[in-house]
Amino acid sequence: MNKYKKLASNSVLFAIGNFGSKLITFVMLPLYTNKLSTSDFGLTDLVLTTVSLLLPIFSMSIGDSILRFGLEKNESKKGIFSNGLAVVIAGSILTIVFFPFFYLVNEKIAFYLVLLLIVQLFQTLFSQFAKANDQINIFALNGMLLSFVTAFWNFIFLVPLNMGIDGYLLSIIIANVISNVWLAIKVDSFRQFDKSLISKKKIKQMLYYSFPLIPNSVALWATNAISRYFILFFLGAAANGLFAVAYKIPSMIGVLNTIFFQAWQLTVIEEYDSSNNSSFYTNVFGFYSRFLFLGVSGILVILKPVMNILVSRAFYESWEYIPFLLLTVVYSSFSTFFGNYYAASKETVKVLTTTAIGAVMNIFLLLLLIPIPFIGINGAGIASAISFFVIWIIRQKDTQRFARTRFETKNILLNHSIFIMQILSLYLIEDSVKLFLIQITLFILSIISNKKLFVPIIALIKRRDSH
């Protein structure tokens, strides 16, 4: 299959799995908010957030190694699976050992925390191996299965049985167990496992690759969450609420990024040794950057009207903090794009060092900008944008050693100019009609500057018409 078509095909499959889970979550939200108290809902969020922090630690990020080594042609897939399973079992035992500590911290959630960690350790093993085994359709279908089974048990436990927080967390655990059994069958795990292939040397090699990704995951987790603590400290809970609402809009692009990067990670690894990977990477980055800039421009056009509909009057001013958060998404996406090159080249230490530079810069800028009265909440978005911009530039320059990717400077600058003009008009023009006309004009300019996006679509239409 053509590598461009394969990237597009994988993106579609990942979209099926991801959009299914997002849709189910959206549909089930009224049920959660009706059947769970605010304190219970907050506690469940705390449990799931804690699991997302602890998972890379207790798994030692072995899932990343399973994917990377599993995609190599000269590696034994049975060996990769067997050694990966050994690490996951060790991580599960370690999780149980830590149960008393979790119990001392919060006895109500300790049991669920341990069970969730264990089922997600195995979920990571099977799902990453499915991707490494070129079973992308299985990976995507699993996303749908996990979502629907979770929703089913959510309903059973929360409505007829009225089990509250216990029912909510149990439904996630049961759904993961069912999903794990299904995945284990589909990836033929019983035949893939071979005890004789487990070796300290291979485990050490896999962990050498994945270990730097553990602090990187923690640093990313902290970077994404830490701005809220600074806003809370300097500006109070109300300001933090406005920022939380503002963050919802950029997170929509985050869903699309997740889909793309799941497919892109596979493609980068597969094409890493290709003789013409430079032109391929350059073309994909050009397409992706145009897509991001056009998407951001489109959001800015409808930002104020949509916020007027979506949120109450008390939260309407949160639109003011969205533009810089959108810029953050653009730069973080670019940095992730180039960060995948490190995974392909097995230079995961570089992922950690570049993320650490950005994290330190982010904290410094948060301390500097948020207390300034006329910047305030926007300091969080500005700090993140600058930090991810620095990470992107460092990674772009450093990865030229082994994966040359050029970008069109003129196009990048033109898109930035349009973006800045859109932001200024949002802040400076109060007349809604005049603002809309200016935003539409700038959006049309964005379409023109990113017209290369539509070349494949036009070519496809012409080809169909000729038949």
Side-chain angles (χ1 to χ4, degrees), residues 217-422:
S217 298
V218 175
L220 276 177
W221 183 90
T223 303
N224 289 328
I226 203 165
S227 56
R228 288 171 169 81
Y229 294 102
F230 281 91
I231 291 170
L232 186 66
F233 179 78
F234 287 113
L235 304 174
N240 212 30
L242 289 171
F243 181 77
V245 170
Y247 208 84
K248 298 293 182 184
I249 303 298
S251 66
M252 293 190 303
I253 298 179
V255 175
L256 296 174
N257 276 336
T258 300
I259 294 164
F260 172 75
F261 283 126
Q262 284 175 335
W264 179 237
Q265 185 182 33
L266 295 178
T267 305
V268 170
I269 294 171
E270 289 170 352
E271 292 296 320
Y272 181 69
D273 293 321
S274 172
S275 58
N276 65 338
N277 63 11
S278 177
S279 61
F280 175 63
Y281 293 165
T282 297
N283 290 339
V284 174
F285 181 75
F287 186 90
Y288 179 62
S289 61
R290 285 182 171 87
F291 172 79
L292 270 182
F293 280 120
L294 188 59
V296 165
S297 179
I299 289 174
L300 290 177
V301 172
I302 60 171
L303 180 58
K304 280 190 174 182
V306 166
M307 291 301 287
N308 220 354
I309 297 167
L310 283 181
V311 302
S312 66
R313 186 178 293 274
F315 287 92
Y316 177 69
E317 72 172 271
S318 61
W319 75 262
E320 297 176 17
Y321 316 118
I322 293 172
F324 290 106
L325 289 174
L326 287 171
L327 191 60
T328 297
V329 170
V330 171
Y331 291 147
S332 66
S333 302
F334 289 172
S335 68
T336 304
F337 186 96
F338 288 94
N340 278 304
Y341 293 163
Y342 291 126
S345 65
K346 298 181 181 176
E347 293 188 25
T348 47
V349 174
K350 287 283 187 176
V351 179
L352 170 59
T353 54
T354 51
T355 301
I357 289 168
V360 171
M361 179 172 284
N362 188 46
I363 292 169
F364 171 75
L365 290 171
L366 287 168
L367 283 167
L368 181 69
L369 296 173
I370 290 177
I372 299 173
F374 65 88
I375 296 179
I377 298 173
N378 260 330
I382 295 169
S384 295
I386 293 171
S387 301
F388 278 114
F389 176 81
V390 170
I391 296 173
W392 165 40
I393 296 301
I394 293 172
R395 288 180 176 178
Q396 192 275 329
K397 289 184 179 298
D398 184 53
T399 55
Q400 296 302 301
R401 295 180 289 112
F402 50 84
R404 295 189 65 82
T405 304
R406 299 177 302 278
F407 56 84
E408 298 171 52
T409 308
K410 287 183 180 178
N411 182 263
I412 297 284
L413 291 175
L414 180 58
N415 275 297
H416 274 83
S417 300
I418 294 168
F419 185 81
I420 290 166
M421 285 189 284
Q422 283 188 277

